[in-house]
Amino acid sequence: MVEAYGNAQGPTVPAISGVPCADPLGDPFLRTRFALPSRPATFLRRRRLVDHLDQALRTPLTLVNGAAGAGKTLLAADWAAGLRQPVAWLTVEAGDRRPGVFWAYVLQALRACGTGAVGSPVDAAGVDRRLLAALAAELNDRDRPVVLVLDEYDRVTAPEVAEQLEYVLHHAGHGLHLVLVTRTEPLLPLHRYRAAGELTEIRAAELAFTPAEAVALLELHGLSLSVPAARALVDRTRGWAAGLRLSALAARESADPELYLKEFEADRSTVADFLLAEVLREQTEETQDLLLRVSVLERFCPDLANALTHRSDAHPILAGLHRDNTFVEHLGHSWYQLHPLFGEILRAHLRERLPGLEPELHRRAARWLRRSGFLPETLVHGAAAGDWDCAAGALVDDLAIGQLFTGLRSADLAQLFSRMGSEARSPATDLVRAARALSRHDLDHGLARLRRAEERLADDAPDLAAAQLSCALLEALAARLTGCPPRAERAAEAADGLRQHVEAHLLDEHPELTALLLTHLGSVRLWAGRFEDARAALTTVVDTPAGSCTALPREESLGHLALLDYLNGWLGRAERKALAAVSEAERAGLPRPSGSGIGRLVLAAVAVDRHELGRAQALLDETAQFPPGRPDPVPAAGRALATARLLLVRGRARAAVEAAGPAVSAAVASPWAAGHEALVASAAHLAEGRPDEAAQVLRDVSGDQPACAVEAAAIQLAAGHPGEAVDLLDSIRGEGRTGPAVTVRAALVRAQVAEDAGDAVAARRLVAQALLDARRERLRRPFLDAGGWIRPLLATPALHELAAGWLTPGPPRRDDRTVPEPLPPLLVAVELSGREHDVLERLARLMSTEEIAADLYVSVNTVKTHLKSVYRKLAVNRRSDAVRRARDLRLL
């Protein structure tokens, strides 16, 4: 059988198609096709890939599949050089496509390693099945299997060759391990091998260099690169081996290699030469044209590519490019993207070959993407084309104008539309200009643009509903910034009527629009003193499902609700909502500072009332920068309130008066803002020895604002007007809605009146009630502001026990027969012992009492004693509250 196919022992390959073949091993050119390629000195062995390739010895078929320059050949050669088994290597050439020629060279490669002595094909066009059977039989009989590596196998395109190769592989049994190094998917039934566990695969993702490997590779080229810089280079090249090597070679000639690798122009580098020669110029004219046109896109599908080429052949072309590893990456669901470096080079080539076409390509892409509902990409390509009517129209029609205010994409959208010129004159472009101006609190320009857009949208056609709803949002924001409740109510009413004319799915996809509108409405109502109406609107926003697009309005609404609770005297509730507002922004990853910072302003005001002055100042400092332009009235008043209170406590009365009046010009005066401003001015007069002026300033304060009324009553009493003080307290309405910060101050005013009248029993009872209410909220300022009259009362045993540990130093007294001692300084700082701090730290790590005891080598009872002391000092009753309070006080 052997003789039937020629001389098996001789050094010659039989003539094929009448062309005599000399011994290929004697031809220097042909000899290289059967030799393992040499590895350059800069070759980097990557152990993870070699280990993976070692699995080839346990499977009959191995596939190393990657793009040109991915490092496939050198990887396979390096691995093969370390094997103990015989290795037959063949680098396939384009002329090997005919079955007879292909098998002639395969058999010669096998002979070179001592096997395959079964003759040779005599016809270039075909191979006798008996020859293949003889080869398979010989391989199957071998004690030591042969590793056959076919490099550049993608050059073999004949289906019959794949069929013949599978036949030999199947019948060779354990005598053959076949390794295919290829750019394309071979025609073999890989799914069957994969399902049977008989296939080892290394593909592009695994061939890509990691940042650490890139650092090692560059060191072999004499370059030292930091890991962050290497990571950036790997991101740009996607770990492509040839790209890294070519970049390294070019960088060695640069004075600053690291800067070169960071900023090199891909289109003017050796990388460009490689890709153009190895990839682009091998393609047909139609394929080159498609690649050049889609290079303007971050991602593309066949239909989008067809829109750019005005052809209909993109689907098979893209599928073929991906299959052939031509730097076209499949993203799934028929979407593709170009390798980043390839894309850079193609864009430069596009500008050279088809100058002036790029804007038109962006325009076509924007229109297709807009029709298909891809808003972010529509905006990018519309802007790149200078088609602002398209970009702004897409933003407005999609009900997405609220994204200019939501924090996450606001900066990107603002920058994108900052390039919009005056030539864009559609209603949508006016709306975007108005939104950008109002987002910067530039009312003059914002309202002018808004009015122009509204005039052009005067028609009530249903297809204008999205634009008119965007107008309503901007009207509500303008109303908020001007403190104008009627305008806000009209905007909200208009929005309610317009929603029915807008596609429901758009409202579902953009909940931020309604959330922002209700936040503005709630803010204006709060400014006007309509607290319950404001709470209704703001609570609706807080109850909307959490998400990145609603994070900012939820944060703002929580902050406004916290201010409402603070103004009603509920410090604990205000603090919880304010902390939730801050957490909402942090959880959503909003940039800091986000929104108006109203949550932190409320926390600062609460800290002043608790006499945590350092914390109050730190919180105020965090919110020091308001956006330029007209200030938002409610946060401005909140800042004025907290700042003025802090300055009063520190004895800076004049500075407090200057800080108390927020620099806002509102259409409607705010009763609570005016009331607190009057209180600061009155307190300053009193501190400077002008009690009559202090009382005069308070003439307009009434019981409609309970928080203002009780503080005004305290000032009237301090000014020597007890009757006016009691009248103010008696005029307060809505006591059921007022919290401890109001009731404690009211009780202390009445207690002082009773004390001055000689009714010590009533005074002690009222002070006791005030202490009970204040202890729950850690409310210290009212007692510090009360004056000297309260100290003797607090020295009595019963009241001292109520004050000890949170208001006055020392543990509560248990023996009522103890003779009262002079009262120590009134305020106690929160100070923990070292062991208490150790317990608190472990409490924050969610350790149980038993775990804390074991960790500290103390008894469980000792831990419980420390916990009780920590709770008492922090004025809390639960573990979670203790940890939260300790973090607030910066004890953890």
Side-chain angles (χ1 to χ4, degrees), residues 767-789:
V767 172
Q769 184 60 51
L771 286 167
L772 286 171
D773 290 345
R775 183 168 62 181
R776 288 194 297 269
E777 301 276 351
R778 300 190 310 285
L779 179 61
R780 299 183 176 101
R781 276 312 318 168
F783 300 94
L784 295 171
D785 295 337
W789 68 271

Side-chain angles (χ1 to χ4, degrees), residues 115-271:
T115 187
V118 294
S120 296
V122 294
D123 183 4
V127 177
D128 193 304
R129 181 59 63 96
R130 289 177 298 168
L131 174 63
L132 301 179
L135 174 62
E138 179 182 341
L139 292 170
N140 193 36
D141 290 340
R142 288 183 59 86
D143 294 330
R144 299 182 66 201
V146 173
V147 176
L148 172 60
V149 182
L150 298 179
D151 189 25
E152 306 280 3
Y153 182 74
D154 46 276
R155 293 172 174 170
V156 177
T157 57
E160 56 267 33
V161 171
E163 181 183 348
Q164 294 159 1
L165 195 59
E166 185 195 0
Y167 173 84
V168 172
L169 182 61
H170 177 70
H171 289 90
H174 296 290
L176 176 64
H177 295 296
L178 177 62
V179 180
L180 301 182
V181 182
T182 176
R183 297 185 189 183
T184 65
E185 200 79 351
L187 297 177
L188 296 172
L190 299 179
H191 62 283
R192 291 212 303 263
Y193 287 95
R194 195 178 290 119
E198 296 179 340
L199 175 63
T200 299
E201 296 181 85
I202 293 181
R203 293 185 176 270
E206 194 173 356
L207 288 168
F209 275 67
T210 66
E213 289 170 346
V215 169
L217 177 67
L218 292 169
E219 285 178 352
L220 291 174
H221 287 78
L223 300 173
S224 178
L225 200 65
S226 64
V227 172
R231 185 175 292 110
L233 181 60
V234 167
D235 288 343
R236 190 176 180 193
T237 61
R238 294 277 171 84
W240 179 44
L244 291 170
R245 288 192 176 94
L246 292 171
S247 300
L249 290 171
R252 286 197 305 190
E253 307 301 320
S254 171
D256 189 340
E258 183 162 340
L259 181 63
Y260 173 86
L261 291 172
K262 180 181 179 182
E263 299 180 353
F264 73 89
E265 297 181 50
D267 58 303
R268 298 183 180 180
S269 67
T270 54
V271 179

Side-chain angles (χ1 to χ4, degrees), residues 174-422:
H174 296 290
L176 176 64
H177 295 296
L178 177 62
V179 180
L180 301 182
V181 182
T182 176
R183 297 185 189 183
T184 65
E185 200 79 351
L187 297 177
L188 296 172
L190 299 179
H191 62 283
R192 291 212 303 263
Y193 287 95
R194 195 178 290 119
E198 296 179 340
L199 175 63
T200 299
E201 296 181 85
I202 293 181
R203 293 185 176 270
E206 194 173 356
L207 288 168
F209 275 67
T210 66
E213 289 170 346
V215 169
L217 177 67
L218 292 169
E219 285 178 352
L220 291 174
H221 287 78
L223 300 173
S224 178
L225 200 65
S226 64
V227 172
R231 185 175 292 110
L233 181 60
V234 167
D235 288 343
R236 190 176 180 193
T237 61
R238 294 277 171 84
W240 179 44
L244 291 170
R245 288 192 176 94
L246 292 171
S247 300
L249 290 171
R252 286 197 305 190
E253 307 301 320
S254 171
D256 189 340
E258 183 162 340
L259 181 63
Y260 173 86
L261 291 172
K262 180 181 179 182
E263 299 180 353
F264 73 89
E265 297 181 50
D267 58 303
R268 298 183 180 180
S269 67
T270 54
V271 179
D273 297 336
F274 180 93
L275 286 173
L276 291 175
E278 291 287 328
V279 180
L280 186 61
R281 293 190 181 115
E282 288 191 358
Q283 309 303 322
T284 65
E285 286 295 327
E286 292 79 10
T287 300
Q288 289 188 37
D289 180 69
L290 182 143
L291 285 170
L292 290 172
R293 290 169 184 261
V294 299
S295 68
V296 303
L297 303 167
E298 286 292 323
R299 61 175 188 142
F300 44 88
C301 65
D303 287 344
L304 176 53
N306 285 334
L308 268 60
T309 61
H310 287 324
R311 302 199 312 263
S312 59
D313 57 355
H315 189 280
I317 290 177
L318 292 175
L321 288 169
H322 169 64
R323 185 176 59 250
D324 295 344
N325 277 318
T326 316
F327 295 89
V328 175
E329 303 165 2
H330 189 227
L331 301 175
H333 305 288
S334 297
W335 283 88
Y336 300 86
Q337 68 180 6
L338 295 174
H339 184 287
L341 273 180
F342 194 34
E344 286 183 54
I345 293 163
L346 287 173
R347 283 190 292 276
H349 209 50
L350 170 68
R351 296 175 193 127
E352 181 180 327
R353 282 179 55 173
L354 300 168
L357 182 62
E358 193 169 356
E360 176 59 25
L361 294 175
H362 282 296
R363 185 175 292 106
R364 293 181 197 174
R367 290 172 181 171
W368 186 93
L369 290 162
R370 183 178 180 183
R371 290 193 304 271
S372 303
F374 296 98
L375 178 64
E377 289 155 302
T378 299
L379 301 180
V380 169
H381 290 289
D387 191 346
W388 297 108
D389 290 343
C390 173
L395 189 75
V396 172
D397 289 348
D398 203 66
L399 283 188
I401 199 166
Q403 292 183 359
L404 282 161
F405 304 97
T406 55
L408 291 174
R409 297 193 61 215
S410 305
D412 292 340
L413 287 175
Q415 172 144 17
L416 185 144
F417 282 104
S418 67
R419 307 195 301 272
M420 183 166 59
S422 58

Side-chain angles (χ1 to χ4, degrees), residues 472-541:
L473 171 64
L474 300 183
E475 282 285 359
L477 175 55
R480 172 178 173 176
L481 295 178
T482 55
C484 184
R487 173 185 281 179
E489 299 292 346
R490 287 194 299 271
E493 184 178 351
D496 287 339
L498 289 165
R499 285 190 182 93
Q500 60 185 322
H501 299 297
V502 175
E503 294 181 37
H505 75 91
L506 290 178
L507 291 169
D508 293 338
E509 290 169 5
H510 295 288
E512 74 275 1
L513 188 140
T514 300
L516 286 165
L517 195 148
L518 287 175
T519 302
H520 303 331
L521 179 63
S523 181
V524 176
R525 288 174 173 176
L526 192 159
W527 172 254
R530 295 165 50 194
F531 286 179
E532 293 311 306
D533 291 339
R535 190 182 301 278
L538 297 167
T539 301
T540 301
V541 179

